[in-house]
Amino acid sequence: MSYRSNIVYVYDGSFDGLLSVIFDAFSRREVPEHIFTYDNEENTLFAVHEVETADDKAKRVAKWLRGFSTDVFTVFYYGYLTCVKNKEMELLMLAIKLNKEGKNAIFDVSSRAVHTLNKGILALKNESHLFCGFVRFTEYSGVLVSEIQPKNIVLPVILKHFETRFPNERYMIIDRTHKSILIHDYRGSQMANYTDFDLPPIPPNELMIQDLWCGFYDTAAIDQRRNYKCRMGHMPKRYWATMTEMKDLLRDETIRSINTERHDALAPRAAGTSH
């Protein structure tokens, strides 16, 4: 493939769209300067190639990747789900490397693309694992609803966990970061995207249940053993906003002042004084 730095690609942000990007890059024998989605497209002086998401293109590239091994295809799919910066370019460069070197290219940790994607996939798996425990549901007319704010696209990864855990429930998990929803009912699970989606007010009986849960959570705690810094290590603060029992703590002055107290405690030592 020849290298051309005077063109950028734009696609719709879907996985099939990404595979279509790889197809176009190979068929046009070029490596774009950058790959944008329509949502994050930037003004540029380069020529723009709008990639049409085509089912036949995506299937051909997916078949090509699976031809190396299932692991290769998984790296590309999980790589797409990560929040790695410029992940599309990293995946395209990995595809070019695979074409030259074969399936063992995904194990070449000296490659920037391989190293970056492996690091991103590990972060994706870790975050998905945390969300299996940090998701909190609210009941709306017999439907369990949860809102999450992940960095990575975790819904496809945690789908099987919740299918197994709640096989007979109707539930929705709303990803506010990526504007997608996981919907499950007696027919199975499906993914959907949205542009604007607001939930109705929480029903009074559900508010009562949430208050009872928070009361139990606080009562079970041992005041003498409260350690907020340790808690943040096991339950990162960025998850608290969507966790029923933690929302009130975000307004707690004690929590907000932890880092300040730590800084003040270290300052006298730095000055060579003691209490």
Side-chain angles (χ1 to χ4, degrees):
M1 295 175 67
S2 61
Y3 185 85
R4 287 179 53 187
S5 59
N6 61 343
I7 192 167
V8 298
Y9 283 12
V10 183
Y11 79 112
D12 63 4
S14 66
F15 183 58
D16 282 353
L18 176 61
L19 297 181
S20 298
V21 165
I22 295 173
F23 182 93
D24 279 15
F26 274 77
S27 61
R28 292 161 62 98
R29 302 185 63 81
E30 64 189 11
V31 179
E33 178 69 21
H34 199 92
I35 302 171
F36 295 109
T37 65
Y38 289 112
D39 291 336
N40 67 7
E41 184 179 2
E42 300 176 5
N43 292 329
T44 177
L45 296 177
F46 297 121
V48 176
H49 170 58
E50 294 191 9
V51 177
E52 178 185 359
T53 299
D55 189 57
D56 59 330
K57 293 180 182 179
K59 285 182 177 179
R60 287 180 63 180
V61 176
K63 183 179 179 181
W64 175 68
L65 293 173
R66 287 193 175 97
F68 291 107
S69 70
T70 303
D71 289 340
V72 169
F73 180 81
T74 301
V75 166
F76 274 77
Y77 182 57
Y78 273 42
Y80 160 77
L81 298 177
T82 68
C83 61
V84 168
K85 186 177 181 181
N86 299 328
K87 61 186 177 184
E88 293 89 354
M89 284 298 301
E90 302 292 358
L91 288 166
L92 175 58
M93 298 310 296
L94 179 55
I96 295 171
K97 185 175 177 65
L98 280 166
N99 191 50
K100 291 180 179 178
E101 302 174 15
K103 65 180 181 181
N104 289 331
I106 64 169
F107 303 113
D108 181 9
V109 293
S110 66
S111 163
R112 189 191 73 174
V114 174
H115 173 74
T116 301
L117 290 169
N118 282 346
K119 186 177 179 180
I121 291 171
L122 178 61
L124 165 70
K125 291 180 177 179
N126 288 340
E127 185 175 41
S128 299
H129 173 72
L130 290 175
F131 270 113
C132 287
F134 291 163
V135 168
R136 298 292 183 266
F137 289 99
T138 300
E139 184 176 357
Y140 291 88
S141 302
V143 179
L144 301 177
V145 180
S146 177
E147 297 181 275
I148 61 175
Q149 298 172 350
K151 292 182 178 180
N152 300 279
I153 306 173
V154 301
L155 290 184
V157 183
I158 66 178
L159 182 151
K160 290 296 181 183
H161 170 82
F162 286 98
E163 278 186 338
T164 303
R165 189 174 183 184
F166 303 123
N168 300 317
E169 297 285 354
R170 293 190 299 163
Y171 60 82
M172 295 168 41
I173 304 178
I174 305 168
D175 180 345
R176 292 298 188 186
T177 306
H178 306 97
K179 296 186 180 299
S180 60
I181 307 177
L182 169 61
I183 304 170
H184 178 85
D185 59 18
Y186 66 92
R187 294 168 295 184
S189 299
Q190 60 179 331
M191 299 283 299
N193 296 320
Y194 71 90
T195 54
D196 188 17
F197 183 80
D198 293 322
L199 291 171
I202 299 176
N205 64 318
E206 178 64 23
L207 287 173
M208 180 185 69
I209 292 172
Q210 290 188 5
D211 288 341
L212 288 172
W213 165 239
C214 290
F216 167 78
Y217 187 84
D218 291 337
T219 302
I222 301 174
D223 290 338
Q224 293 80 0
R225 294 188 177 182
R226 289 187 186 274
N227 186 330
Y228 292 112
K229 284 188 284 187
C230 180
R231 179 182 292 185
M232 290 176 191
H234 294 281
M235 186 188 293
K237 198 172 176 181
R238 69 185 182 89
Y239 298 103
W240 292 11
T242 55
M243 298 180 67
T244 306
E245 69 273 25
M246 305 301 290
K247 291 178 181 178
D248 289 342
L249 281 177
L250 290 174
R251 297 187 291 270
D252 192 327
E253 290 294 337
T254 303
I255 304 300
R256 292 208 297 263
S257 63
I258 286 177
N259 291 335
T260 303
E261 290 175 357
R262 182 175 182 274
H263 175 76
D264 291 343
L266 293 176
R269 297 183 185 181
T273 61
S274 61
H275 293 289

